[in-house]
């Protein structure tokens, strides 16, 4: 007897608009309380509790308890990957489109895709790494780190020899749902994103997964990749 994944059950959980709103609010990798997720979904606390219970039972969420409070987060990067991939399905362009809201424009420009950098800035950084020969595209949606790349990352303050690859490798290609191109994910992408935050090149928006590039960050992007802010607007 063979077994197969219960895709229908997971699809049913994701299909509800309120649950999608909650999951989307957690795509930056941070944990949030039920009240904040209820607000994001536009539902009552009681309804939110029911949805969160189903998402926990379905393996899409994990929960942490701090005192009397419970904080919910995505069960892992595999959930974020599934959501981002689903978001990329559909026509790349519409004949008529409403103007993007300011928040949507900020997300498209730069955001956290769970634990790594995405959006136009993330794509530009990935293109820069490829053009410099620091990464090369490989099979199975992976990037391979070149010797020149390892030397560059180490100069930037990352000890690449100490970064442990996952079963998907050290660097993974993640399809960007707004740009329809691949950006850098995997342990290498996570460490690079963390470094950019730690060095003050980028900072998280307080209540969304949008990312702001600081003046220092633009200098770093221009110095290493020739990336200009105006070219990405």
């Amino acid at each position: 007897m063979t077994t197969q994944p219960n895709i229908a059950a997971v699809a049913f959980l994701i299909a509800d608009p309120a649950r999608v709103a909650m999951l989307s609010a957690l795509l930056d990798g941070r944990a949030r309380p039920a009240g904040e997720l209820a607000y994001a979904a536009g539902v009552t606390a009681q309804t939110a509790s029911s949805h969160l219970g189903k998402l926990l039972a379905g393996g899409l969420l994990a929960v942490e308890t701090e005192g009397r409070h419970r904080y919910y987060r995505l069960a892992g990067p595999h959930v974020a990957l599934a959501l981002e991939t689903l978001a990329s399905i559909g026509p790349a362009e519409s004949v008529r489109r409403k103007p993007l809201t300011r928040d949507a424009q900020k997300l498209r420009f730069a955001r956290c895709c769970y634990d790594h950098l995405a959006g136009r800035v993330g794509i530009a950084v990935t293109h820069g790494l490829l053009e410099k020969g620091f990464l090369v595209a490989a099979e199975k949606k992976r990037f391979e780190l070149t010797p020149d790349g390892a030397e560059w990352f180490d100069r930037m303050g990352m000890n690449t020899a100490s970064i442990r690859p996952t079963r998907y490798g050290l660097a993974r290609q993640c399809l960007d749902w707004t740009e329809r191109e691949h950006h850098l994910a995997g342990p290498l992408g996570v460490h690079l994103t963390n470094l950019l935050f730690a060095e003050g090149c980028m900072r998280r928006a307080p209540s969304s997964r949008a990312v702001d590039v600081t003046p220092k960050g633009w200098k770093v992007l221009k110095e290493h990749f020739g990336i200009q802010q105006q070219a990405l607007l």
Side-chain angles (χ1 to χ4, degrees):
M1 181 178 178
T2 60
T3 60
Q4 61 183 21
N6 192 350
I7 297 175
V10 176
F12 172 79
L13 287 172
I14 297 176
D16 184 272
R19 290 196 284 268
V20 168
M22 291 179 175
L23 292 169
S24 297
L26 298 170
L27 271 171
D28 61 355
R30 290 182 283 191
R32 288 183 165 82
E36 190 171 333
L37 295 173
Y39 179 82
V43 297
T44 66
Q46 183 177 2
T47 300
S49 179
S50 175
H51 285 312
L52 291 170
K54 292 175 181 177
L55 292 170
L56 281 169
L60 296 175
L61 292 185
V63 64
E64 301 174 13
T65 302
E66 291 288 342
R68 296 183 301 168
H69 302 284
R70 289 160 63 88
Y71 295 88
Y72 298 85
R73 65 170 68 250
L74 296 184
H78 62 291
V79 178
L81 173 61
L83 294 170
E84 289 274 342
T85 302
L86 286 171
S88 70
I89 296 174
E93 297 289 341
S94 301
V95 176
R96 296 182 64 186
R97 292 177 296 168
K98 293 181 179 180
L100 293 176
T101 65
R102 184 175 181 179
D103 289 342
Q105 289 175 2
K106 292 183 68 175
L107 285 175
R108 184 171 187 177
F109 188 72
R111 66 183 181 277
C112 280
C113 177
Y114 190 67
D115 52 10
H116 57 269
L117 186 63
R120 288 180 176 171
V121 174
I123 292 293
V125 169
T126 303
H127 283 178
L129 292 169
L130 291 167
E131 290 169 2
K132 292 285 187 179
F134 299 157
L135 296 177
V136 293
E139 296 180 347
K140 299 181 179 179
K141 293 189 66 176
R142 297 184 182 186
F143 291 118
E144 294 292 343
L145 179 66
T146 66
D148 286 345
E151 181 180 342
W152 181 82
F153 278 106
D154 289 344
R155 288 201 310 270
M156 292 291 287
M158 293 168 53
N159 182 5
T160 54
S162 68
I163 302 176
R164 297 180 59 182
T166 67
R167 59 175 177 158
Y168 302 108
L170 184 67
R172 179 173 57 80
Q173 300 178 34
C174 182
L175 183 61
D176 195 293
W177 69 270
T178 58
E179 304 308 298
R180 308 299 175 106
E181 295 185 61
H182 292 108
H183 57 245
L184 174 63
L188 190 66
V190 174
H191 278 73
L192 177 59
T193 301
N194 290 341
L195 177 67
L196 292 171
F197 282 130
E199 293 295 321
C201 296
M202 298 184 183
R203 55 175 177 259
R204 293 175 181 266
S207 59
S208 100
R209 58 191 182 114
V211 170
D212 294 321
V213 182
T214 66
K216 177 183 178 180
W218 286 118
K219 290 181 181 179
V220 169
L221 294 179
K222 181 180 180 181
E223 175 186 353
H224 292 280
F225 304 116
I227 298 173
Q228 299 276 6
Q229 181 178 8
Q230 293 301 319
L232 300 182
L233 295 176

